[in-house]
Amino acid sequence: MVATVADLKYGQKGIIKDFTEHTLPVKLMEMGCLPGNSVELLRIAPLNDPLYINLSGSHLAIRRSLAQLIELDIIEETQAK
């Protein structure tokens, strides 16, 4: 199963791997939504749409349907003791 931005939990981070469709809005790519960039889920709206994310330092609100098109490698947080 492929993880997407829509699968992230609060505070979870991932690295953009690919897009499931090549029809991603150009404006989103101009704002840094490119393979290799990091994404963190900051908040989810009360009705589960839109998602508020940190995309390489830019804070964006995107629709869940768009978030499902962005494939990720989820970063597992390791806790140092």
Side-chain angles (χ1 to χ4, degrees):
M1 184 176 141
V2 176
T4 66
V5 173
D7 298 326
L8 290 175
K9 294 175 179 42
Y10 286 107
Q12 197 171 26
K13 298 177 184 178
I15 302 294
I16 298 173
K17 183 169 61 173
D18 199 7
F19 310 116
T20 56
E21 293 181 15
H22 296 285
T23 58
L24 212 59
V26 173
K27 186 72 173 173
L28 195 59
M29 290 191 279
E30 288 174 349
M31 295 178 92
C33 188
L34 298 168
N37 287 347
S38 65
V39 177
E40 178 184 6
L41 181 65
L42 300 176
R43 295 185 185 239
I44 300 173
L47 296 175
N48 286 331
D49 202 11
L51 306 175
Y52 187 56
I53 61 172
N54 178 356
L55 180 62
S56 297
S58 298
H59 291 207
L60 306 170
I62 62 172
R63 293 183 190 122
R64 184 171 290 277
S65 60
L66 184 58
Q68 291 171 338
L69 302 178
I70 305 169
E71 296 179 2
L72 297 176
D73 285 325
I74 294 178
I75 299 171
E76 299 297 330
E77 296 291 326
T78 56
Q79 305 219 353
K81 292 185 179 184

